[in-house]
Structure formats: C-alpha cells, structure tokens
Amino acid sequence: MINKVYTGKVVSNKMEKTVVVAVTRMFQHPVYKKTVKKVAKFKAHDEVNQCKVGDEVKITETRPMSKDKRWLVLEILDKSARSTKK
C-alpha cells in the first residue's frame, strides 16, 4: 500500500504534539474551465512540537492516532515562511 504524501502550510500549532496543516490544490472547473483553488485542512502528529505557524511541511498518511488525527509530519521544508510578529 502506498501512503499519500502532501505538502502544506501549518496554520495552527496550539495543540500538544498536533499541528493543523492546510493543503491547497488547484484544478480546472469541469464546466466553466476556470482555475479553482481548494484548501483542505489535516491534523498531523508532530512528536517534538517543532512546527510553527507558517512553516511549509510534508505530511504522510498513517494509522489513526486520535479521533481526527491520521497524518504524520515527515519534515519541515521551509522555516523561512514563518510570520515575524513582535
């Protein structure tokens, strides 16, 4: 069985060992031929709480870890995407 692997942006890290990742996909509408953007949010397991809001991460499908959490953070691709608030 091949696991799904997606790339997305962390939108929330307020939970313990869990981040919410927004995965954006673009496709052409079948009737109107306009490019449409869809965003899906996934809860992913982050064992060491290293992901911050704005990070670009790679997630993969895994066994169910809780009611909603079925994804695992593989790696952080881009830490420079973090928002710098003071």
Side-chain angles (χ1 to χ4, degrees):
M1 183 170 111
I2 298 173
N3 289 345
K4 296 175 188 167
V5 177
Y6 293 140
T7 302
K9 186 175 270 194
V10 176
V11 292
S12 173
N13 66 343
K14 294 183 184 290
M15 295 169 275
E16 205 51 43
K17 295 187 179 181
T18 304
V19 291
V20 179
V21 180
V23 176
T24 304
R25 69 182 187 98
M26 295 180 72
F27 62 96
Q28 192 175 40
H29 192 280
V31 174
Y32 300 115
K33 308 300 184 208
K34 180 180 177 180
T35 302
V36 182
K37 187 188 297 185
K38 276 236 184 206
V39 177
K41 292 182 182 179
F42 301 103
K43 288 183 182 167
H45 186 68
D46 177 23
E47 183 63 37
V48 291
N49 286 327
Q50 63 185 1
C51 294
K52 304 286 187 238
V53 174
D55 287 354
E56 195 78 26
V57 296
K58 186 184 285 188
I59 60 173
T60 186
E61 196 174 36
T62 186
R63 66 177 178 83
M65 298 196 175
S66 69
K67 179 183 172 187
D68 296 327
K69 191 163 54 168
R70 276 113 172 91
W71 297 86
L72 178 69
V73 175
L74 285 180
E75 61 179 317
I76 299 175
L77 300 173
D78 187 17
K79 286 190 176 192
S80 65
R82 292 181 183 176
S83 60
T84 54
K85 293 183 181 178
K86 290 186 177 181

